[in-house]
Amino acid sequence: MDLKVIRYFIEIIDHGGFAKAAEAIHITQPALSKAITQLEADLDLVLLERGKRGSQLRPTPSGQVVYRYGKSLLNTRDEMLTELAAQRSLLTGELHLGLAPLGSAELFTPVISRYRSLYPHIKMQLLVRGGTEQTQKLKKGEVELATGIISLADEFDGFCIRRDPMMVVLPQQHPFADAEELSLQQLSDDPQIIFNEEYALHDLVLNGCVQRGFMPKIVTKVSHPDFGVALVAAGTGVMIMPSFLANRHQVPGVVNVPLQQDDLIWELSIYWRKGQPLSFAAQAMVELVREYHAVSS
């Protein structure tokens, strides 16, 4: 079935007759009439009620079906062509990206810089929030891609960007300061500084302790790793964080001791809603992240 002829049929209905339709689509009336007659023959149906000369044409019940589905087919065709044009050029569009506050500076700054240089006309909106809020924004469609610590097996698709061992940040005078490795169980009596609930790292540490049979003695919660490390240096407690953060924020008066990887490990993923087709702007970002991850891992 020729979509061009379907368009002719829709124009006839919309204009109320052959003459005005032929003028609108720049075709002769005999050619238009021949095309519709052939369409009726192909379908073996009468699509138009042909009344007295000069009266407005009306679709038969079969014609109403062709008109309704024809409109849908033409709209889908237009959407397909628009999307294909966007894919070819990637000159326009928007990308709403949710970034985890921990690790994004190290892992995403170079990717975002490269993306902006390749696709300067794509509008990028960045949302820097903790994992819990990001996931809610993703479910509501307010961001298309998000990053964080999450299980991908349920309602999300994605892939791991970075796996990092965990470190225990201890005061220098702590009895375990010279240990080669620590377990969560060894920290059961220590006051802990932990990230706020908005961070997925909060639940990761808390659940890890509970699975080892104890509730951590949380002395305070922080939103910035440098403040947490400063509190450790002041003797307030110990803090568990990914090794790259612990090493970056290390200050005099603290030591970093590896945590057993069987206890906890930090995994940052980029993810999106399962079954949700990604825009070409989002696909381009995903491919850049894959490329960067392959080079840096």
Side-chain angles (χ1 to χ4, degrees), residues 100-165:
L102 300 177
S104 292
E106 294 81 2
L107 299 178
F108 278 94
T109 299
V111 178
I112 290 171
S113 176
R114 176 69 173 155
Y115 188 90
R116 288 194 182 280
S117 95
L118 289 174
Y119 314 114
H121 299 292
I122 291 181
K123 297 178 182 177
M124 186 183 296
Q125 300 290 331
L126 302 178
L127 176 73
V128 181
R129 294 289 189 278
T132 301
E133 185 175 351
Q134 272 204 66
T135 300
Q136 293 303 316
K137 296 286 186 184
L138 191 65
K139 289 179 178 179
K140 293 177 182 177
E142 295 178 19
V143 296
E144 193 172 4
L145 299 173
T147 66
I149 305 170
I150 193 167
S151 170
L152 297 173
D154 302 325
E155 52 189 317
F156 301 109
D157 280 326
F159 55 91
C160 178
I161 300 168
R162 171 86 172 254
R163 299 179 81 252
D164 218 50

Side-chain angles (χ1 to χ4, degrees), residues 28-282:
T28 65
Q29 190 169 335
L32 181 58
S33 178
K34 182 179 179 181
I36 298 305
T37 299
Q38 185 60 51
L39 177 63
E40 290 180 317
D42 290 343
L43 296 174
D44 194 23
L45 293 167
V46 176
L47 302 179
L48 292 170
E49 293 180 2
R50 294 169 173 83
K52 295 180 181 179
R53 186 177 181 83
S55 63
Q56 183 170 336
L57 288 178
R58 292 184 301 174
T60 64
S62 297
Q64 292 173 5
V65 172
V66 172
Y67 180 84
R68 186 172 71 252
Y69 280 97
K71 281 267 195 182
S72 177
L73 286 169
L74 291 176
N75 287 338
T76 301
R77 173 185 174 274
D78 290 343
E79 291 171 1
M80 178 190 71
L81 293 176
T82 299
E83 197 164 335
L84 287 173
Q87 183 184 31
R88 283 193 299 269
S89 63
L90 269 176
L91 293 177
T92 60
E94 291 189 10
L95 175 62
H96 295 262
L97 174 63
L99 292 177
L102 300 177
S104 292
E106 294 81 2
L107 299 178
F108 278 94
T109 299
V111 178
I112 290 171
S113 176
R114 176 69 173 155
Y115 188 90
R116 288 194 182 280
S117 95
L118 289 174
Y119 314 114
H121 299 292
I122 291 181
K123 297 178 182 177
M124 186 183 296
Q125 300 290 331
L126 302 178
L127 176 73
V128 181
R129 294 289 189 278
T132 301
E133 185 175 351
Q134 272 204 66
T135 300
Q136 293 303 316
K137 296 286 186 184
L138 191 65
K139 289 179 178 179
K140 293 177 182 177
E142 295 178 19
V143 296
E144 193 172 4
L145 299 173
T147 66
I149 305 170
I150 193 167
S151 170
L152 297 173
D154 302 325
E155 52 189 317
F156 301 109
D157 280 326
F159 55 91
C160 178
I161 300 168
R162 171 86 172 254
R163 299 179 81 252
D164 218 50
M166 302 290 274
M167 288 282 187
V168 184
V169 184
L170 303 166
Q172 204 164 35
Q173 68 276 15
H174 195 281
F176 293 143
D178 294 326
E180 292 186 2
E181 189 178 62
L182 288 171
S183 67
L184 282 174
Q185 189 63 49
Q186 288 175 284
L187 304 175
S188 60
D189 293 328
D190 283 281
Q192 281 198 42
I193 299 152
I194 194 169
F195 283 99
N196 287 332
E197 287 87 350
E198 63 184 282
Y199 295 95
L201 198 51
H202 170 278
D203 290 346
L204 183 68
V205 173
L206 184 63
N207 292 338
C209 293
V210 171
Q211 288 171 9
R212 293 301 183 274
F214 71 96
M215 281 294 296
K217 298 176 179 178
I218 299 173
V219 65
T220 189
K221 300 173 186 177
V222 298
S223 56
H224 298 287
D226 54 348
F227 183 45
V229 173
L231 290 175
V232 174
T236 306
V238 303
M239 190 171 187
I240 300 170
M241 62 177 66
S243 62
F244 79 93
L245 281 180
N247 293 331
R248 191 177 101 185
H249 294 287
Q250 189 166 17
V251 298
V254 305
V255 293
N256 299 331
V257 177
L259 185 71
Q260 288 180 2
Q261 292 195 27
D262 288 345
D263 281 350
L264 285 181
I265 195 161
W266 182 81
E267 294 187 346
L268 186 72
S269 297
I270 185 167
Y271 58 101
W272 53 91
R273 286 181 292 172
K274 185 170 287 186
Q276 179 73 22
L278 293 177
S279 69
F280 290 110

